mmCIF file of all heavy atoms in Angstrom:
data_model
loop_
_atom_site.group_PDB
_atom_site.id
_atom_site.type_symbol
_atom_site.label_atom_id
_atom_site.label_comp_id
_atom_site.label_asym_id
_atom_site.label_seq_id
_atom_site.Cartn_x
_atom_site.Cartn_y
_atom_site.Cartn_z
ATOM 1 N N ARG Z 27 3.942 10.454 -1.114
ATOM 2 C CA ARG Z 27 4.150 10.632 0.325
ATOM 3 C C ARG Z 27 2.989 10.087 1.138
ATOM 4 O O ARG Z 27 3.182 9.519 2.221
ATOM 5 C CB ARG Z 27 4.365 12.120 0.639
ATOM 6 C CG ARG Z 27 5.674 12.659 0.074
ATOM 7 C CD ARG Z 27 5.994 14.030 0.631
ATOM 8 N NE ARG Z 27 7.280 14.507 0.138
ATOM 9 C CZ ARG Z 27 7.857 15.630 0.545
ATOM 10 N NH1 ARG Z 27 7.243 16.404 1.433
ATOM 11 N NH2 ARG Z 27 9.029 15.990 0.062
ATOM 12 N N GLN Z 28 1.766 10.282 0.650
ATOM 13 C CA GLN Z 28 0.618 9.753 1.374
ATOM 14 C C GLN Z 28 0.640 8.231 1.369
ATOM 15 O O GLN Z 28 0.176 7.598 2.318
ATOM 16 C CB GLN Z 28 -0.682 10.276 0.760
ATOM 17 C CG GLN Z 28 -1.912 10.039 1.629
ATOM 18 C CD GLN Z 28 -3.147 10.736 1.103
ATOM 19 O OE1 GLN Z 28 -3.061 11.630 0.269
ATOM 20 N NE2 GLN Z 28 -4.306 10.330 1.599
ATOM 21 N N CYS Z 29 1.206 7.631 0.313
ATOM 22 C CA CYS Z 29 1.349 6.171 0.278
ATOM 23 C C CYS Z 29 2.320 5.711 1.351
ATOM 24 O O CYS Z 29 2.119 4.662 1.980
ATOM 25 C CB CYS Z 29 1.838 5.716 -1.096
ATOM 26 S SG CYS Z 29 0.731 6.120 -2.460
ATOM 27 N N ALA Z 30 3.382 6.485 1.560
ATOM 28 C CA ALA Z 30 4.331 6.158 2.629
ATOM 29 C C ALA Z 30 3.650 6.222 3.988
ATOM 30 O O ALA Z 30 3.888 5.380 4.862
ATOM 31 C CB ALA Z 30 5.519 7.116 2.578
ATOM 32 N N GLY Z 31 2.772 7.217 4.181
ATOM 33 C CA GLY Z 31 2.017 7.305 5.419
ATOM 34 C C GLY Z 31 1.083 6.121 5.600
ATOM 35 O O GLY Z 31 0.931 5.589 6.706
ATOM 36 N N LEU Z 32 0.440 5.683 4.508
ATOM 37 C CA LEU Z 32 -0.430 4.515 4.568
ATOM 38 C C LEU Z 32 0.375 3.280 4.963
ATOM 39 O O LEU Z 32 -0.083 2.468 5.779
ATOM 40 C CB LEU Z 32 -1.102 4.294 3.211
ATOM 41 C CG LEU Z 32 -1.836 2.958 3.035
ATOM 42 C CD1 LEU Z 32 -2.998 2.840 4.011
ATOM 43 C CD2 LEU Z 32 -2.326 2.811 1.595
ATOM 44 N N HIS Z 33 1.559 3.134 4.394
ATOM 45 C CA HIS Z 33 2.396 1.972 4.709
ATOM 46 C C HIS Z 33 2.730 1.944 6.202
ATOM 47 O O HIS Z 33 2.675 0.879 6.840
ATOM 48 C CB HIS Z 33 3.673 2.012 3.870
ATOM 49 C CG HIS Z 33 4.503 0.771 3.974
ATOM 50 N ND1 HIS Z 33 4.181 -0.396 3.315
ATOM 51 C CD2 HIS Z 33 5.638 0.510 4.688
ATOM 52 C CE1 HIS Z 33 5.074 -1.327 3.589
ATOM 53 N NE2 HIS Z 33 5.978 -0.807 4.420
ATOM 54 N N ALA Z 34 3.051 3.117 6.766
ATOM 55 C CA ALA Z 34 3.335 3.191 8.201
ATOM 56 C C ALA Z 34 2.091 2.840 9.015
ATOM 57 O O ALA Z 34 2.179 2.168 10.058
ATOM 58 C CB ALA Z 34 3.836 4.588 8.556
ATOM 59 N N THR Z 35 0.924 3.287 8.560
ATOM 60 C CA THR Z 35 -0.328 2.955 9.245
ATOM 61 C C THR Z 35 -0.571 1.450 9.240
ATOM 62 O O THR Z 35 -0.944 0.859 10.268
ATOM 63 C CB THR Z 35 -1.504 3.676 8.560
ATOM 64 O OG1 THR Z 35 -1.373 5.082 8.758
ATOM 65 C CG2 THR Z 35 -2.837 3.205 9.114
ATOM 66 N N LEU Z 36 -0.357 0.810 8.101
ATOM 67 C CA LEU Z 36 -0.580 -0.631 8.008
ATOM 68 C C LEU Z 36 0.410 -1.401 8.872
ATOM 69 O O LEU Z 36 0.061 -2.434 9.460
ATOM 70 C CB LEU Z 36 -0.477 -1.080 6.542
ATOM 71 C CG LEU Z 36 -1.553 -0.517 5.607
ATOM 72 C CD1 LEU Z 36 -1.313 -0.971 4.172
ATOM 73 C CD2 LEU Z 36 -2.949 -0.946 6.067
ATOM 74 N N ARG Z 37 1.644 -0.906 8.964
ATOM 75 C CA ARG Z 37 2.610 -1.540 9.867
ATOM 76 C C ARG Z 37 2.114 -1.461 11.308
ATOM 77 O O ARG Z 37 2.175 -2.436 12.060
ATOM 78 C CB ARG Z 37 3.975 -0.882 9.731
ATOM 79 C CG ARG Z 37 5.022 -1.438 10.692
ATOM 80 C CD ARG Z 37 6.336 -0.706 10.573
ATOM 81 N NE ARG Z 37 7.012 -1.022 9.337
ATOM 82 C CZ ARG Z 37 7.752 -2.115 9.127
ATOM 83 N NH1 ARG Z 37 7.880 -3.011 10.102
ATOM 84 N NH2 ARG Z 37 8.342 -2.319 7.974
ATOM 85 N N SER Z 38 1.593 -0.281 11.694
ATOM 86 C CA SER Z 38 1.089 -0.101 13.048
ATOM 87 C C SER Z 38 -0.096 -1.031 13.323
ATOM 88 O O SER Z 38 -0.178 -1.650 14.396
ATOM 89 C CB SER Z 38 0.669 1.358 13.256
ATOM 90 O OG SER Z 38 0.050 1.548 14.504
ATOM 91 N N LEU Z 39 -1.007 -1.154 12.353
ATOM 92 C CA LEU Z 39 -2.156 -2.037 12.536
ATOM 93 C C LEU Z 39 -1.718 -3.498 12.640
ATOM 94 O O LEU Z 39 -2.233 -4.260 13.470
ATOM 95 C CB LEU Z 39 -3.131 -1.882 11.368
ATOM 96 C CG LEU Z 39 -3.862 -0.539 11.242
ATOM 97 C CD1 LEU Z 39 -4.749 -0.542 10.002
ATOM 98 C CD2 LEU Z 39 -4.695 -0.248 12.483
ATOM 99 N N ARG Z 40 -0.783 -3.870 11.818
ATOM 100 C CA ARG Z 40 -0.322 -5.261 11.826
ATOM 101 C C ARG Z 40 0.335 -5.629 13.149
ATOM 102 O O ARG Z 40 0.212 -6.759 13.625
ATOM 103 C CB ARG Z 40 0.662 -5.487 10.669
ATOM 104 C CG ARG Z 40 0.944 -6.933 10.368
ATOM 105 C CD ARG Z 40 1.789 -7.108 9.134
ATOM 106 N NE ARG Z 40 3.142 -6.614 9.313
ATOM 107 C CZ ARG Z 40 4.152 -6.874 8.484
ATOM 108 N NH1 ARG Z 40 3.912 -7.610 7.398
ATOM 109 N NH2 ARG Z 40 5.353 -6.396 8.684
ATOM 110 N N GLU Z 41 1.024 -4.645 13.732
ATOM 111 C CA GLU Z 41 1.732 -4.911 14.982
ATOM 112 C C GLU Z 41 0.832 -4.797 16.211
ATOM 113 O O GLU Z 41 1.088 -5.435 17.231
ATOM 114 C CB GLU Z 41 2.909 -3.939 15.111
ATOM 115 C CG GLU Z 41 3.996 -4.163 14.069
ATOM 116 C CD GLU Z 41 5.076 -3.097 14.125
ATOM 117 O OE1 GLU Z 41 4.882 -2.085 14.851
ATOM 118 O OE2 GLU Z 41 6.111 -3.252 13.436
ATOM 119 N N SER Z 42 -0.249 -3.986 16.122
ATOM 120 C CA SER Z 42 -1.069 -3.727 17.301
ATOM 121 C C SER Z 42 -2.321 -4.601 17.389
ATOM 122 O O SER Z 42 -2.878 -4.765 18.477
ATOM 123 C CB SER Z 42 -1.488 -2.252 17.344
ATOM 124 O OG SER Z 42 -2.287 -1.924 16.220
ATOM 125 N N LEU Z 43 -2.771 -5.142 16.277
ATOM 126 C CA LEU Z 43 -3.991 -5.942 16.274
ATOM 127 C C LEU Z 43 -3.664 -7.433 16.346
ATOM 128 O O LEU Z 43 -2.572 -7.853 15.942
ATOM 129 C CB LEU Z 43 -4.811 -5.638 15.021
ATOM 130 C CG LEU Z 43 -5.363 -4.214 14.946
ATOM 131 C CD1 LEU Z 43 -5.986 -3.957 13.584
ATOM 132 C CD2 LEU Z 43 -6.393 -3.969 16.057
ATOM 133 N N PRO Z 44 -4.600 -8.231 16.837
ATOM 134 C CA PRO Z 44 -4.337 -9.669 16.972
ATOM 135 C C PRO Z 44 -3.990 -10.308 15.629
ATOM 136 O O PRO Z 44 -4.530 -9.917 14.591
ATOM 137 C CB PRO Z 44 -5.660 -10.220 17.527
ATOM 138 C CG PRO Z 44 -6.316 -9.051 18.174
ATOM 139 C CD PRO Z 44 -5.922 -7.859 17.363
ATOM 140 N N PRO Z 45 -3.098 -11.281 15.628
ATOM 141 C CA PRO Z 45 -2.748 -11.985 14.387
ATOM 142 C C PRO Z 45 -3.993 -12.596 13.747
ATOM 143 O O PRO Z 45 -4.894 -13.098 14.442
ATOM 144 C CB PRO Z 45 -1.769 -13.073 14.860
ATOM 145 C CG PRO Z 45 -1.216 -12.561 16.154
ATOM 146 C CD PRO Z 45 -2.333 -11.784 16.784
ATOM 147 N N GLY Z 46 -4.052 -12.538 12.445
ATOM 148 C CA GLY Z 46 -5.195 -13.084 11.726
ATOM 149 C C GLY Z 46 -6.360 -12.128 11.587
ATOM 150 O O GLY Z 46 -7.382 -12.475 10.988
ATOM 151 N N SER Z 47 -6.235 -10.882 12.133
ATOM 152 C CA SER Z 47 -7.325 -9.910 12.043
ATOM 153 C C SER Z 47 -7.467 -9.355 10.634
ATOM 154 O O SER Z 47 -8.566 -9.000 10.211
ATOM 155 C CB SER Z 47 -7.100 -8.760 13.019
ATOM 156 O OG SER Z 47 -7.065 -9.216 14.341
ATOM 157 N N LEU Z 48 -6.358 -9.227 9.937
ATOM 158 C CA LEU Z 48 -6.396 -8.635 8.606
ATOM 159 C C LEU Z 48 -5.295 -9.215 7.739
ATOM 160 O O LEU Z 48 -4.282 -9.703 8.239
ATOM 161 C CB LEU Z 48 -6.247 -7.117 8.673
ATOM 162 C CG LEU Z 48 -4.852 -6.546 8.980
ATOM 163 C CD1 LEU Z 48 -4.766 -5.104 8.503
ATOM 164 C CD2 LEU Z 48 -4.515 -6.624 10.454
ATOM 165 N N SER Z 49 -5.517 -9.166 6.458
ATOM 166 C CA SER Z 49 -4.470 -9.470 5.490
ATOM 167 C C SER Z 49 -4.208 -8.215 4.680
ATOM 168 O O SER Z 49 -5.155 -7.499 4.324
ATOM 169 C CB SER Z 49 -4.883 -10.627 4.572
ATOM 170 O OG SER Z 49 -6.049 -10.302 3.847
ATOM 171 N N ILE Z 50 -2.946 -7.933 4.449
ATOM 172 C CA ILE Z 50 -2.539 -6.728 3.726
ATOM 173 C C ILE Z 50 -1.950 -7.154 2.397
ATOM 174 O O ILE Z 50 -1.006 -7.953 2.350
ATOM 175 C CB ILE Z 50 -1.515 -5.915 4.538
ATOM 176 C CG1 ILE Z 50 -2.128 -5.484 5.870
ATOM 177 C CG2 ILE Z 50 -1.044 -4.705 3.744
ATOM 178 C CD1 ILE Z 50 -1.126 -4.834 6.814
ATOM 179 N N GLU Z 51 -2.514 -6.636 1.325
ATOM 180 C CA GLU Z 51 -2.055 -6.989 -0.014
ATOM 181 C C GLU Z 51 -1.561 -5.746 -0.730
ATOM 182 O O GLU Z 51 -2.307 -4.773 -0.895
ATOM 183 C CB GLU Z 51 -3.190 -7.631 -0.805
ATOM 184 C CG GLU Z 51 -2.785 -8.022 -2.215
ATOM 185 C CD GLU Z 51 -3.951 -8.539 -3.028
ATOM 186 O OE1 GLU Z 51 -5.098 -8.171 -2.730
ATOM 187 O OE2 GLU Z 51 -3.709 -9.307 -3.978
ATOM 188 N N ALA Z 52 -0.307 -5.776 -1.129
ATOM 189 C CA ALA Z 52 0.281 -4.650 -1.849
ATOM 190 C C ALA Z 52 0.131 -4.869 -3.350
ATOM 191 O O ALA Z 52 0.547 -5.894 -3.890
ATOM 192 C CB ALA Z 52 1.759 -4.508 -1.492
ATOM 193 N N ARG Z 53 -0.490 -3.900 -4.004
ATOM 194 C CA ARG Z 53 -0.568 -3.886 -5.465
ATOM 195 C C ARG Z 53 -0.063 -2.542 -5.964
ATOM 196 O O ARG Z 53 0.075 -1.601 -5.186
ATOM 197 C CB ARG Z 53 -1.993 -4.185 -5.940
ATOM 198 C CG ARG Z 53 -2.382 -5.647 -5.702
ATOM 199 C CD ARG Z 53 -3.718 -6.014 -6.267
ATOM 200 N NE ARG Z 53 -4.007 -7.418 -6.085
ATOM 201 C CZ ARG Z 53 -3.977 -8.341 -7.047
ATOM 202 N NH1 ARG Z 53 -3.668 -7.990 -8.285
ATOM 203 N NH2 ARG Z 53 -4.261 -9.599 -6.779
ATOM 204 N N GLN Z 54 0.201 -2.472 -7.239
ATOM 205 C CA GLN Z 54 0.983 -1.353 -7.758
ATOM 206 C C GLN Z 54 0.158 -0.434 -8.656
ATOM 207 O O GLN Z 54 -0.652 -0.902 -9.463
ATOM 208 C CB GLN Z 54 2.198 -1.880 -8.549
ATOM 209 C CG GLN Z 54 3.016 -2.938 -7.813
ATOM 210 C CD GLN Z 54 3.489 -2.464 -6.456
ATOM 211 O OE1 GLN Z 54 3.940 -1.322 -6.310
ATOM 212 N NE2 GLN Z 54 3.399 -3.326 -5.456
ATOM 213 N N TYR Z 55 0.397 0.869 -8.498
ATOM 214 C CA TYR Z 55 -0.202 1.871 -9.392
ATOM 215 C C TYR Z 55 0.826 2.990 -9.590
ATOM 216 O O TYR Z 55 0.661 4.110 -9.096
ATOM 217 C CB TYR Z 55 -1.493 2.436 -8.796
ATOM 218 C CG TYR Z 55 -2.386 3.083 -9.842
ATOM 219 C CD1 TYR Z 55 -3.305 2.326 -10.549
ATOM 220 C CD2 TYR Z 55 -2.291 4.441 -10.130
ATOM 221 C CE1 TYR Z 55 -4.117 2.898 -11.509
ATOM 222 C CE2 TYR Z 55 -3.099 5.022 -11.091
ATOM 223 C CZ TYR Z 55 -4.011 4.256 -11.783
ATOM 224 O OH TYR Z 55 -4.806 4.833 -12.733
ATOM 225 N N PRO Z 56 1.929 2.690 -10.325
ATOM 226 C CA PRO Z 56 2.968 3.716 -10.532
ATOM 227 C C PRO Z 56 2.461 4.862 -11.399
ATOM 228 O O PRO Z 56 1.817 4.642 -12.429
ATOM 229 C CB PRO Z 56 4.087 2.939 -11.234
ATOM 230 C CG PRO Z 56 3.390 1.776 -11.893
ATOM 231 C CD PRO Z 56 2.248 1.424 -10.984
ATOM 232 N N LEU Z 57 2.728 6.074 -10.961
ATOM 233 C CA LEU Z 57 2.293 7.264 -11.700
ATOM 234 C C LEU Z 57 3.334 7.632 -12.745
ATOM 235 O O LEU Z 57 4.035 8.639 -12.651
ATOM 236 C CB LEU Z 57 2.047 8.420 -10.726
ATOM 237 C CG LEU Z 57 0.991 8.165 -9.649
ATOM 238 C CD1 LEU Z 57 0.866 9.364 -8.721
ATOM 239 C CD2 LEU Z 57 -0.362 7.841 -10.278
ATOM 240 N N ASP Z 58 3.429 6.786 -13.743
ATOM 241 C CA ASP Z 58 4.411 6.978 -14.809
ATOM 242 C C ASP Z 58 3.829 6.365 -16.080
ATOM 243 O O ASP Z 58 3.521 5.164 -16.115
ATOM 244 C CB ASP Z 58 5.736 6.306 -14.441
ATOM 245 C CG ASP Z 58 6.862 6.679 -15.397
ATOM 246 O OD1 ASP Z 58 6.580 6.927 -16.594
ATOM 247 O OD2 ASP Z 58 8.031 6.724 -14.958
ATOM 248 N N ARG Z 59 3.699 7.176 -17.116
ATOM 249 C CA ARG Z 59 3.102 6.694 -18.354
ATOM 250 C C ARG Z 59 3.975 5.669 -19.065
ATOM 251 O O ARG Z 59 3.520 5.002 -19.995
ATOM 252 C CB ARG Z 59 2.817 7.873 -19.295
ATOM 253 C CG ARG Z 59 1.693 8.776 -18.810
ATOM 254 C CD ARG Z 59 1.276 9.772 -19.879
ATOM 255 N NE ARG Z 59 0.708 9.107 -21.046
ATOM 256 C CZ ARG Z 59 -0.555 8.716 -21.144
ATOM 257 N NH1 ARG Z 59 -1.386 8.912 -20.134
ATOM 258 N NH2 ARG Z 59 -0.997 8.132 -22.233
ATOM 259 N N GLN Z 60 5.222 5.512 -18.633
ATOM 260 C CA GLN Z 60 6.075 4.487 -19.220
ATOM 261 C C GLN Z 60 5.495 3.091 -18.987
ATOM 262 O O GLN Z 60 5.695 2.192 -19.816
ATOM 263 C CB GLN Z 60 7.478 4.568 -18.602
ATOM 264 C CG GLN Z 60 8.233 5.849 -18.905
ATOM 265 C CD GLN Z 60 8.658 5.938 -20.366
ATOM 266 O OE1 GLN Z 60 8.941 4.917 -21.001
ATOM 267 N NE2 GLN Z 60 8.701 7.142 -20.905
ATOM 268 N N CYS Z 61 4.781 2.922 -17.874
ATOM 269 C CA CYS Z 61 4.236 1.595 -17.560
ATOM 270 C C CYS Z 61 2.769 1.645 -17.137
ATOM 271 O O CYS Z 61 2.178 0.601 -16.849
ATOM 272 C CB CYS Z 61 5.069 0.923 -16.469
ATOM 273 S SG CYS Z 61 5.213 1.890 -14.953
ATOM 274 N N ASN Z 62 2.186 2.837 -17.073
ATOM 275 C CA ASN Z 62 0.795 2.980 -16.649
ATOM 276 C C ASN Z 62 0.027 3.803 -17.678
ATOM 277 O O ASN Z 62 0.089 5.035 -17.679
ATOM 278 C CB ASN Z 62 0.727 3.660 -15.275
ATOM 279 C CG ASN Z 62 -0.704 3.785 -14.756
ATOM 280 O OD1 ASN Z 62 -1.671 3.454 -15.445
ATOM 281 N ND2 ASN Z 62 -0.850 4.278 -13.536
ATOM 282 N N PRO Z 63 -0.709 3.148 -18.567
ATOM 283 C CA PRO Z 63 -1.435 3.884 -19.613
ATOM 284 C C PRO Z 63 -2.575 4.742 -19.065
ATOM 285 O O PRO Z 63 -3.073 5.618 -19.771
ATOM 286 C CB PRO Z 63 -1.973 2.777 -20.517
ATOM 287 C CG PRO Z 63 -2.070 1.573 -19.625
ATOM 288 C CD PRO Z 63 -0.924 1.700 -18.666
ATOM 289 N N TYR Z 64 -2.987 4.519 -17.811
ATOM 290 C CA TYR Z 64 -4.086 5.290 -17.230
ATOM 291 C C TYR Z 64 -3.604 6.570 -16.552
ATOM 292 O O TYR Z 64 -4.417 7.412 -16.174
ATOM 293 C CB TYR Z 64 -4.841 4.453 -16.189
ATOM 294 C CG TYR Z 64 -5.342 3.137 -16.709
ATOM 295 C CD1 TYR Z 64 -4.749 1.934 -16.307
ATOM 296 C CD2 TYR Z 64 -6.407 3.063 -17.598
ATOM 297 C CE1 TYR Z 64 -5.208 0.711 -16.779
ATOM 298 C CE2 TYR Z 64 -6.869 1.859 -18.081
ATOM 299 C CZ TYR Z 64 -6.260 0.677 -17.665
ATOM 300 O OH TYR Z 64 -6.717 -0.527 -18.134
#
């Protein structure tokens, strides 16, 4: 749920700040031992 809140925050920043101010890169950390040994 906190990740969903972060996503909404990044959408707000992307829409409110000048273009080229930031780049947003999504990477994955699924909390499932089926694909995440950590």
Side-chain angles (χ1 to χ4, degrees):
R27 292 192 177 185
Q28 193 172 344
C29 299
L32 169 63
H33 188 77
T35 293
L36 295 177
R37 177 183 289 279
S38 174
L39 293 178
R40 194 174 68 167
E41 293 174 350
S42 62
L43 294 172
S47 299
L48 74 159
S49 61
I50 300 172
E51 180 185 26
R53 289 185 177 254
Q54 311 305 317
Y55 200 87
L57 301 178
D58 190 329
R59 290 190 64 83
Q60 295 290 328
C61 56
N62 182 355
Y64 305 108

